[in-house]
Amino acid sequence: MVEVSPEVLIVGGGVAGLRAALEAARFSRVVLINKERGNKSNSAYAQGGIAVALGSREDRQAHMADTLLAGRGLCRRKTVRILVDEGPRRVRELIRWGAEFDRSGRGFARAHEGAHSRRRILRARGDGIGAELTSTLLRAVQAHPRITVVHGRFTADLLVERGRCVGVWVLGRGGRRRALPAAAVVLATGGIGQVYLRTTNPPVATGDGIAMAYRAGALLEDLEFVQFHPTALAVAGAPTFLLSEAMRGEGAVLRTVKGEAFMARYDRRRELAPRDVVARAIWEEMMSSGADHVLLDVTARPRLWLRERFPLIARTCARYGIDIATTPIPVAPAAHFMIGGIKTDEFGATSLPGLYAVGETACTGVHGANRLASNSLLEGVVFGARTGRAAARYARSQGFIKPSSQRDDRATSRQDQGQFDDILANVRRLMWEGVGIIRSATSLGRALDGLRRYDWLCEAVYGDREGMEVQNIQLVATLIARAALRRRGSLGCHFRSDFPVKGRGWSRHVGVARSD
Ligand code: SIN
């Protein structure tokens, strides 16, 4: 698979992993391993844009203030400062590497989304920022002489010896796990959306990095903060396709199924209130009407304008019989972004020596209790660069440890696909009903009871991707539910109906590490 052991091994091929690879390769030999063959990361599906303050110092201060306000007091100020200050440099670098942002007149077009006090979101291809940035970075990675990209290989676990991460176990052909040693490992495995019944995330988002880090004993944090996107397509037989918040930034109105605009009843910022506020407002409207959706109405905009501004959304809705120029779109919230994850410092270092994490799988504290829209691609490039550099330095200073075995000879389990499908359907339903937009001790207890029925999955050793993903989903689901039970208060996107105020000790982070 790989001829020489890499100094830095990166798992995951989204924006954060690709950016980390490019930086690490300035100093080291890098292998980037991706379980998918194509460009199918969460980043690749991003629509809205990349938030960045390209102007004056005051512009950056405003970006920082908006990020802190959306994060409800739980952000780590230090990492937010890094995000807004280093962001402009990283975005200019993307432009040098060929990223084409949409333009308006002589400058860049700037979009608006919830909780931003000004228009600062750069966009590409209308609603195709993710595809533009991942393809730009992938081109640079593929052209780099010190980076080897391995597609279609599943990383099952971290290789830990003498308290240090010294590589990974990958699934080989025939179901055997093979050791891939590395001097430093970076997890950039993305999100967890597949833990929920309704998600905007692609099928790859199965929480693999969080699960691997937990099994290896690394510290995780803030897992109760799962951000639900307010508006995903809710049409029978259609995918839970994201309808970008940028639509509301361009004037789209949320209406009940009877056509009444309702956001003014919830927040003075109406459709552009922070994401958690809008998601809960929609949820309440759905509960009180009994409907399984509300409507997103963008019909005030002309058809040609819509086709140019939101080409992907217009095309996708048309495929399911909705002409967005004439018909309000049925939408409902869906799990969108994991705010918590593997706890890192501002250089991506985790609590396990030799292990780094970046992007959605990491928790730098930059998003606090509620992520400001379009800050995650910026996080990916800013902390990707920092993490790649730090991992390369670590690799250079610490060198390799030869793992004590090259093959894992334990017998592997196999389940038939039908059984996995049943487990997945149950886990996703339990999470949606018990650990969703509104939680309580009762709903969380019910979810945990249900999840416990599948604890036996964690004992098994799987030699196939499907088995590993189901195991990871059940583990991550359990960790999220436990964290949500531990936070006895409501903050940002974690809302407990039995503790509707933030409560005492609200500013503490909920951390967890495997103790056995
Ligand atoms: C969106 O386009 O609404 C998603 C942007 C984000 O999640 O930051």
Side-chain angles (χ1 to χ4, degrees):
M1 178 183 61
V2 180
E3 300 303 320
V4 242
S5 297
E7 288 162 312
V8 177
L9 175 70
I10 294 175
V11 187
V15 158
L18 293 167
R19 185 61 192 84
L22 288 169
E23 195 70 15
R26 294 177 55 204
F27 315 96
S28 302
R29 223 174 33 249
V30 175
V31 167
L32 186 146
I33 185 164
N34 190 353
K35 68 177 177 178
E36 280 297 332
R37 287 193 183 275
N39 193 1
K40 295 186 181 141
S41 61
N42 247 357
S43 320
Y45 288 80
Q47 293 178 3
I50 181 164
V52 64
L54 285 178
S56 61
R57 184 160 178 273
E58 190 270 328
D59 208 15
R60 293 198 298 280
Q61 291 293 11
H63 189 187
M64 175 142 181
D66 289 352
T67 302
L68 294 174
L69 199 65
R72 302 296 201 292
L74 206 70
C75 298
R76 290 208 162 85
R77 289 187 81 90
K78 189 174 180 182
T79 49
V80 179
R81 166 65 57 213
I82 290 168
L83 179 83
V84 301
D85 282 355
E86 295 182 12
R89 175 169 170 214
R90 295 296 162 222
V91 168
R92 288 194 190 101
E93 187 177 68
L94 287 168
I95 296 167
R96 271 203 315 282
W97 291 339
E100 286 185 24
F101 294 107
D102 293 345
R103 303 191 72 91
S104 166
R106 286 212 237 131
F108 290 120
R110 285 185 165 82
H112 198 196
E113 292 185 49
H116 285 271
S117 59
R118 55 185 75 173
R119 285 186 170 261
R120 63 164 72 88
I121 299 165
L122 301 190
R123 57 181 168 87
R125 309 181 192 183
D127 52 8
I129 185 74
E132 179 65 19
L133 296 193
T134 44
S135 57
T136 301
L137 288 166
L138 193 57
R139 265 196 317 272
V141 159
Q142 281 169 337
H144 202 295
R146 276 202 297 270
I147 305 178
T148 306
V149 181
V150 179
H151 288 295
R153 271 303 164 103
F154 192 88
T155 306
D157 261 312
L158 299 170
L159 191 49
V160 180
E161 303 222 343
R162 285 176 270 154
R164 175 180 158 192
C165 180
V166 296
V168 299
W169 290 108
V170 290
L171 298 185
R173 306 206 194 289
R176 285 274 177 246
R177 293 170 174 218
R178 281 185 39 197
L180 178 55
V185 173
V186 178
L187 290 176
T189 47
I192 57 93
Q194 290 301 324
V195 158
Y196 284 92
L197 195 61
R198 274 182 64 77
T199 180
T200 59
N201 293 186
V204 293
T206 53
D208 304 332
I210 292 178
M212 281 189 269
Y214 179 77
R215 287 193 289 266
L219 184 59
L220 313 178
E221 198 169 74
D222 290 349
L223 293 177
E224 67 275 33
F225 296 108
V226 175
Q227 186 170 63
F228 291 84
H229 197 287
T231 56
L233 189 62
V235 170
T240 314
F241 177 75
L242 176 68
L243 294 170
S244 176
E245 194 155 316
M247 296 179 84
R248 281 174 279 131
E250 300 287 6
V253 176
L254 284 163
R255 300 187 186 281
T256 64
V257 279
K258 291 195 175 138
E260 182 215 347
F262 59 82
M263 272 314 297
R265 285 196 268 112
Y266 292 89
D267 195 287
R268 64 179 168 74
R269 293 160 289 187
R270 300 181 186 214
E271 274 73 8
L272 291 180
R275 212 169 256 188
D276 58 321
V277 174
V278 182
R280 276 197 300 279
I282 293 176
W283 192 252
E284 282 185 27
E285 290 299 324
M286 284 165 49
M287 293 299 113
S288 70
S289 70
D292 63 0
H293 64 272
V294 296
L295 300 168
L296 183 67
D297 183 356
V298 74
T299 57
R301 291 286 194 172
R303 173 173 285 111
L304 277 180
W305 184 91
L306 284 168
R307 261 197 220 148
E308 197 179 313
R309 177 66 183 86
F310 299 112
L312 180 65
I313 292 173
R315 264 199 324 272
T316 307
C317 289
R319 202 174 305 139
Y320 296 96
I322 300 163
D323 175 356
I324 66 172
T326 55
T327 314
I329 314 161
V331 293
H336 183 60
F337 188 88
M338 169 45 94
I339 285 176
I342 308 162
K343 182 174 169 30
T344 70
D345 67 9
E346 66 273 27
F347 301 102
T350 72
S351 63
L352 179 65
L355 179 67
Y356 292 76
V358 69
E360 193 171 345
T361 198
C363 180
T364 57
V366 94
H367 306 303
N370 183 43
R371 180 178 62 98
L372 185 68
S374 288
N375 260 357
S376 43
L377 291 173
L378 192 67
E379 181 191 22
V381 289
V382 166
F383 289 93
R386 289 183 146 247
T387 304
R389 196 175 326 134
R393 284 208 177 123
Y394 178 91
R396 279 285 148 108
S397 65
Q398 302 298 313
F400 286 92
I401 294 184
K402 193 168 169 333
S404 47
S405 61
Q406 292 294 323
R407 264 175 51 145
D408 183 343
D409 285 323
R410 289 177 296 170
T412 51
S413 311
R414 260 193 180 279
Q415 241 77 45
D416 67 68
Q417 192 58 47
Q419 188 181 14
F420 278 152
D421 290 346
D422 284 350
I423 297 172
L424 280 177
N426 275 332
V427 167
R428 288 171 175 155
R429 186 185 44 77
L430 286 163
M431 290 299 286
W432 186 249
E433 289 171 2
V435 200
I437 296 173
I438 297 180
R439 303 109 186 244
S440 67
T442 313
S443 78
L444 292 165
R446 211 178 303 125
L448 279 165
D449 285 344
L451 290 168
R452 220 168 277 129
R453 293 211 315 270
Y454 304 115
D455 277 354
W456 54 267
L457 278 165
C458 291
E459 308 301 322
V461 181
Y462 288 103
D464 58 320
R465 172 174 167 175
E466 291 71 26
M468 284 306 311
E469 287 186 340
V470 175
Q471 189 181 59
N472 291 344
I473 284 176
Q474 191 269 350
L475 173 59
V476 171
T478 305
L479 295 172
I480 296 171
R482 284 192 200 144
L485 196 59
R486 278 175 63 194
R487 182 171 285 279
R488 289 151 64 89
S490 293
L491 196 66
C493 56
H494 169 71
F495 188 86
R496 292 265 309 244
S497 56
D498 49 346
F499 291 106
V501 291
K502 56 187 179 180
R504 283 176 52 194
W506 64 271
S507 60
R508 277 200 294 272
H509 293 267
V510 174
V512 62
R514 182 176 171 158
S515 50
D516 56 2

